[in-house]
Amino acid sequence: MSSSVVRNHSNNHDDSPTASLPAPILPLPSHTLLRAAVSLKDQVVRATFGRMGSVTQLTDPTAYTGLLGTAIACLRSFRATGDRGDLLMASEIVDACAASSGGASARRWHHVTFLCGRGGVYGLGAVVADILGDPLKRDSYLNLFLQLAHERALPVGPEDGGFGMSYDLLYGRAGFLWAALFINHHLGPETVPNNLLMPIVDAVIAGGRAGASDIASCPLMYRWHGTRYLGAANGLAGILQVLLHFPLSEEYAEDVKGTLRYMMSNRFPHSGNYPSSEGNPRDKLVQWSHGATGMAMTLCKASQVFPSDREFRDAAIEAGEVVWKNGLMKKVGLADGASGNAYAFLSLFRLTGEILYEERAKAFASFLYHNATELMTTTAASNNAWSLYYGLAGTACLWFDVTGPELSSFPGYEL
């Protein structure tokens, strides 16, 4: 298959890739994708914030499927175009999300993570306010975030009965840690101090060791609702992605590397894809939430952290090949669609510098340029048609990122 042309794919992943795709699809020029990204971002704003009305009507203020995802798309637009209006819109949306903590959105406000809770609202609020040059608002959001860091369950290990809070990226401790990493990445190291964060890292490691006590060759393992998931959303890939951003002791680093090797050794032998959960024999999902896409990004990060361990770089490239062969989806979103899968190639481009991966990302983005609207109206995800992780806000972010791949990052997963 040509590196820069998307052609029809033939496989039996009946729930994920498209049954028939136009062939060939040539990558569009960057200026075309940038114009499309701005236009789509404007549509997302009108469809989500323009129709919201009173903030008391806001049922979902989160980044994953709610209004905060629109603010993230606006911030991506600002970084690509320099249009300060996008930044002001992002600020207004974040304020609306922060004001909606009661009523219909109260149950979502229970979580402290970046993607599905208050951590994202406060973290993004602080970063946007800082870029706008508003130190009072920045510090206000930072103080709210620091209050979350004192949640009693966050630094509690299993020996202290700490299984009440999960460890995953969407709803658990890893998701809170990612929110702190996001703040420190944009506002400077120790903005959220390590003396608050490292006890949470300790708890995540302790929980993983306890969860892997019956698996001889796997140092860390976690359960979410009773299932040992391996993917990015609720499983190992997402938790390891977060841990790889912290200064790990030699012992912790060996735990992380050993867990990655365990996952690599359990790939499906025929396809090279990764199971969605421990012991699951169904080789079906190639996406960020489950399968090779999320693992490709985590392995790219592992290769950067452990450059002398060539096996992680090789495995990242192999996972990228799985995505290329199987990754054009019936869905458009970041979580389980073609937009998310394209980010595997952007990660590999940043890791290797090889133009092949930039071309592949643009090919997927170009497929979405021609097909996203139709796909969105014919799938169950149409209920979240404008959201970041299941809808067109994520597609807009991808189009912005493929125009500047050196600075690209999967929203809510990469920094």
Side-chain angles (χ1 to χ4, degrees):
M1 183 183 296
S2 167
S3 66
S4 59
V5 178
V6 174
R7 300 185 185 276
N8 287 350
H9 292 206
S10 177
N11 53 59
N12 59 5
H13 292 207
D14 59 352
D15 187 51
S16 40
T18 55
S20 60
L21 304 175
I25 296 175
L26 297 173
L28 295 165
S30 292
H31 63 83
T32 299
L33 290 171
L34 181 59
R35 285 199 303 268
V38 171
S39 175
L40 184 56
K41 177 267 304 178
D42 289 340
Q43 293 177 58
V44 170
V45 171
R46 288 193 298 270
T48 57
F49 196 51
R51 300 177 185 175
M52 187 190 66
S54 169
V55 294
T56 59
Q57 299 174 12
L58 179 57
T59 59
D60 187 352
T62 70
Y64 194 65
T65 54
L67 182 59
L68 194 69
T70 301
I72 291 172
C74 289
L75 184 58
R76 288 295 164 107
S77 182
F78 167 73
R79 292 203 165 126
T81 67
D83 186 343
R84 189 174 173 84
D86 287 324
L87 199 59
L88 293 170
M89 178 59 68
S91 178
E92 187 177 349
I93 292 171
V94 172
D95 290 347
C97 292
S100 71
S101 58
S105 64
R107 66 181 180 85
R108 299 177 187 272
W109 216 240
H110 169 73
H111 301 296
V112 298
T113 61
F114 184 86
L115 288 175
C116 294
R118 289 172 284 166
V121 176
Y122 300 155
L124 190 65
V127 169
V128 170
D130 187 69
I131 299 172
L132 281 170
D134 188 340
L136 291 178
K137 182 180 282 191
R138 177 200 63 205
D139 291 346
S140 175
Y141 276 119
L142 275 178
N143 288 334
L144 289 169
F145 186 85
L146 291 171
Q147 291 175 28
L148 296 184
H150 293 285
E151 290 269 348
R152 292 179 60 188
L154 280 166
V156 175
E159 68 280 1
D160 299 314
F163 285 114
M165 179 178 286
S166 66
Y167 295 91
D168 66 305
L169 184 74
L170 290 191
Y171 302 106
R173 302 171 212 227
F176 172 81
L177 289 172
W178 198 93
L181 289 168
F182 176 81
I183 291 172
N184 287 349
H185 175 75
H186 290 284
L187 301 186
E190 292 285 321
T191 302
V192 183
N194 270 350
N195 62 8
L196 288 176
L197 300 179
M198 289 311 295
I200 305 172
V201 172
D202 293 338
V204 173
I205 294 288
R209 288 174 172 174
S213 60
D214 61 337
I215 309 176
S217 57
C218 185
L220 305 173
M221 183 59 73
Y222 305 85
R223 292 180 185 270
W224 189 75
H225 287 203
T227 299
R228 289 170 164 173
Y229 287 105
L230 304 181
N234 299 113
L236 271 177
I239 296 168
L240 297 178
Q241 171 80 358
V242 171
L243 291 176
L244 285 163
H245 286 79
F246 284 93
L248 301 175
S249 67
E250 183 177 351
E251 185 179 5
Y252 284 3
E254 288 303 315
D255 281 349
V256 169
K257 289 195 282 186
T259 304
L260 286 169
R261 291 179 182 126
Y262 174 81
M263 298 173 75
M264 290 155 54
S265 71
N266 282 277
R267 285 173 285 187
F268 292 111
H270 176 69
S271 69
N273 191 30
Y274 288 77
S276 60
S277 59
E278 179 76 359
N280 192 327
R282 300 174 69 208
D283 182 6
K284 189 175 184 180
L285 301 176
V286 180
Q287 53 188 237
W288 173 81
S289 296
H290 306 288
T293 303
M295 272 302 294
M297 298 179 207
T298 296
L299 287 164
C300 283
K301 181 62 182 178
S303 181
Q304 294 166 351
V305 174
F306 309 120
S308 61
D309 292 286
R310 179 77 186 196
E311 61 193 305
F312 300 132
R313 181 186 177 96
D314 292 343
I317 291 171
E318 291 167 8
E321 291 304 308
V322 175
V323 179
W324 179 244
K325 293 174 182 176
N326 299 280
L328 279 176
M329 316 290 281
K330 295 175 182 176
K331 300 176 182 178
V332 307
L334 296 178
D336 59 357
S339 295
N341 284 355
Y343 273 99
F345 308 129
L346 293 174
S347 296
L348 285 162
F349 172 74
R350 295 194 311 276
L351 176 68
T352 67
E354 293 184 15
I355 195 69
L356 164 74
Y357 298 114
E358 180 184 3
E359 291 177 344
R360 287 182 172 183
K362 281 191 173 180
F364 271 43
S366 300
F367 162 75
L368 288 163
Y369 177 90
H370 294 292
N371 296 283
T373 301
E374 179 183 356
L375 290 173
M376 198 71 257
T377 59
T378 59
T379 67
S382 58
N383 289 335
N384 293 304
W386 302 103
S387 70
L388 183 65
Y389 265 67
Y390 288 103
L392 294 170
T395 302
C397 289
L398 171 66
W399 290 346
F400 283 123
D401 273 348
V402 295
T403 66
E406 300 85 358
L407 301 177
S408 63
S409 62
F410 191 106
Y413 198 63
E414 298 177 309
L415 294 168

